Amino acid sequence: MPSNQASKINPLLPPEWNEEILDALGAFPGSLNFVMGKWAEQSEDQRGLNTLGMFAHYPELAKAFMTLNSHVAANSSLPVRERELLILRTSWLVKSEYEFVQHLILGRRAGLSEAELERIQLGPKAEGWSSDDAELISVADDLYHHTRVSDATFAKLATRFSNKEIMDMIFLVGCYTVLAMGVGSFDIAMESGLEPLPEESRARMFAQEKKSPIPFTTDHDGYMPSCLTPRPVILNLIQNPIPANSHHRTHREQQPNSHYYSGKLYNSLIFLKNPI
């Protein structure tokens, strides 16, 4: 569980934001206007200030990210309630307390009940979800655990959502996963106006374990992608490597029924067996 250590980067405050920074952060107008308005009011509610202050250090990246964030969070084809369900479940899974408590507020405004906000912590199989909500939450779980929406989940979604809407779901989850990585890596602190999770909920969040990847079948040629190669096969190759003077393509042609490994994996295995 993360400690309450100081941020690794000092967020820049609005008086330090020049025209380039303001232009970059303005790629998500709703976010910038909210933060600037609260700052001008000297409000106790300063939600979002530290995140924008982090991005202010790198306007080029900020503009690119805020463009995506603005679309998936405010302008996508999905209704607001569905967006907040996905953001909250994603934030919970990636253990981003910062994002989770931010969106508890926004989730309530989107119509989520206190029971639903509690149930988000338990996942799609928790009792009480409608089948529609459970399918949506499964999108976040599938992407977190397996980096893809499962065929079963996709088939259910396709009965009521367009491909465009499903794309918005996937990129929404991806956007908030990346944001959590940045906030967590730089130890961005919560602003005033946010209440930390109760200790019981926080302990449950950080006690989660990520599932092992789901099994994948081979491709149409019968070769397994190298990034998904089973550990026993990798160990076998380390113990019995392809000859160093053999090219992986030739090896594939010589043994068409064997798994195909990319050059990167091949070179890695040779290095592990014969390090410099």
Side-chain angles (χ1 to χ4, degrees):
M1 190 179 299
S3 62
N4 295 320
Q5 62 190 45
S7 298
K8 295 185 179 73
I9 188 171
N10 292 322
L12 299 178
L13 298 177
E16 302 172 272
W17 298 352
N18 58 27
E19 289 186 11
E20 182 186 20
I21 293 171
L22 288 169
D23 177 67
L25 300 179
F28 190 167
S31 174
L32 177 61
N33 292 339
F34 176 83
V35 169
M36 291 295 285
K38 294 298 183 181
W39 180 266
E41 296 169 5
Q42 298 184 338
S43 170
E44 292 184 2
D45 182 1
Q46 294 294 326
R47 286 176 290 133
L49 176 64
N50 290 342
T51 300
L52 295 195
M54 173 186 73
F55 277 111
H57 285 275
Y58 195 170
E60 297 88 351
L61 175 64
K63 190 165 190 174
F65 180 83
M66 291 297 173
T67 299
L68 173 63
N69 197 185
S70 179
H71 172 77
V72 297
N75 301 298
S76 85
S77 60
L78 298 172
V80 177
R81 181 181 179 278
E82 277 74 2
R83 292 179 213 161
E84 289 303 322
L85 269 176
L86 284 166
I87 293 170
L88 281 162
R89 182 59 182 165
T90 299
S91 300
W92 178 266
L93 288 169
V94 299
K95 304 176 184 179
S96 179
E97 183 181 8
Y98 178 96
E99 284 301 325
F100 189 78
V101 297
Q102 299 262 6
H103 283 272
L104 284 175
I105 297 170
L106 299 178
R108 291 185 182 101
R109 292 178 183 172
L112 293 174
S113 68
E114 293 302 317
E116 288 171 328
L117 293 174
E118 284 290 324
R119 203 181 302 139
I120 283 170
Q121 302 177 20
L122 305 178
K125 295 182 179 179
E127 292 185 9
W129 288 124
S130 67
S131 59
D132 288 352
D133 284 346
E135 288 163 15
L136 265 179
I137 294 169
S138 291
V139 171
D141 283 56
D142 285 356
L143 291 170
Y144 173 71
H145 291 294
H146 313 306
T147 328
R148 70 190 297 271
V149 176
S150 72
D151 292 344
T153 302
F154 198 101
K156 293 174 183 176
L157 294 173
T159 64
R160 60 194 183 96
F161 292 105
S162 66
N163 284 336
K164 184 176 177 180
E165 290 169 320
I166 295 172
M167 286 182 73
D168 273 331
M169 294 176 198
I170 294 167
F171 284 87
L172 175 65
V173 171
C175 178
Y176 279 87
T177 299
V178 170
L179 183 57
M181 290 176 177
V183 168
S185 296
F186 287 107
D187 291 310
I188 301 301
M190 288 187 198
E191 304 89 354
S192 58
L194 290 173
E195 291 186 15
L197 286 171
E199 194 55 40
E200 181 181 351
S201 295
R202 192 167 187 267
R204 187 164 59 247
M205 171 184 276
F206 287 97
Q208 299 175 97
E209 294 184 1
K210 195 168 186 176
K211 296 178 182 177
S212 299
I214 57 177
F216 284 81
T217 57
T218 55
D219 64 20
H220 65 280
D221 289 327
Y223 301 107
M224 183 172 290
S226 62
C227 61
L228 303 173
T229 304
R231 186 170 179 270
V233 178
I234 293 176
L235 292 176
N236 180 60
L237 279 181
I238 293 173
Q239 294 164 2
N240 303 285
I242 301 165
N245 60 357
S246 169
H247 191 278
H248 67 275
R249 181 176 59 82
T250 304
H251 181 74
R252 174 176 178 172
E253 292 169 350
Q254 291 171 348
Q255 301 183 42
N257 293 325
S258 67
H259 292 300
Y260 173 64
Y261 302 95
S262 70
K264 182 179 289 186
L265 177 62
Y266 167 81
N267 291 333
S268 299
L269 291 170
I270 295 300
F271 176 79
L272 287 171
K273 181 68 177 179
N274 304 296
I276 298 172

